[in-house]
Amino acid sequence: MSAGAETVALEKGEALHEADPRFASAWTLAPSGKADRPLLIAVHGSARDHLQTRDAFDDLATRQDINVLAPLFPADVTRPGYSDGYKFLREPGIDYAMLVEGMVAAFRARFSLGSQSTYLFGFSGGAQFALRYALVAAGKLSGAVIAA
């Protein structure tokens, strides 16, 4: 860090999804606190470490002044031993695209955020989700990164 540079303490948290508490999300607010900052939806891999996924974007959030939302899509939601539903956007009784859109809406409402640019990142199993979600929600996204 250069002389005179300040360390920014990012505001972070977690929340259960209001409509379905089987699901949760972790978030980081843009350091400026401005309502018009972009949002990055960061989707975990098959290991389901949404906190680590969120935290991996701390430097980017600080440098680019963005909000980060990391959904948690747990395994075994509809049946024991099945962990791939989110990768395909649907499993019986669950529409993961609608679920993430509800998480985004709740996050924006909770912090009075605008509906500025939304970006999507997915890693591993999250990359499968991101690819499929980007295809069905292309008009809602400003960009996507898919990583394996």
Side-chain angles (χ1 to χ4, degrees):
M1 188 175 345
S2 62
E6 297 178 29
T7 301
V8 176
L10 294 170
E11 184 177 344
K12 298 179 175 197
E14 297 177 68
L16 291 176
H17 184 51
E18 295 171 7
D20 191 337
R22 295 176 296 178
F23 302 95
S25 61
W27 49 264
T28 300
L29 290 178
S32 70
K34 295 179 181 175
D36 66 346
R37 303 314 307 145
L39 172 64
L40 172 65
I41 303 167
V43 184
H44 60 71
S46 298
R48 292 183 162 70
D49 193 342
H50 72 302
L51 297 176
Q52 183 179 358
T53 301
R54 174 201 63 191
D55 294 348
F57 291 96
D58 283 356
D59 187 52
L60 182 67
T62 301
R63 285 186 292 110
Q64 298 298 318
D65 196 32
I66 64 170
N67 298 295
V68 177
L69 182 67
L72 171 60
F73 301 130
D76 307 324
V77 176
T78 59
R79 65 182 188 267
Y82 185 65
S83 62
D84 291 338
Y86 81 106
K87 298 173 187 177
F88 299 100
L89 299 187
R90 292 191 181 179
E91 61 182 299
I94 302 169
D95 181 330
Y96 287 93
M98 295 300 295
L99 187 67
V100 80
E101 289 173 15
M103 289 177 180
V104 168
F107 177 69
R108 285 189 166 135
R110 178 178 181 181
F111 296 105
S112 301
L113 302 175
S115 56
Q116 297 301 319
S117 300
T118 301
Y119 297 88
L120 177 64
F121 169 84
F123 174 74
S124 181
Q128 292 184 49
F129 171 87
L131 172 65
R132 292 176 177 100
Y133 182 73
L135 291 171
V136 300
K140 298 176 184 179
L141 299 173
S142 297
V145 173
I146 298 169

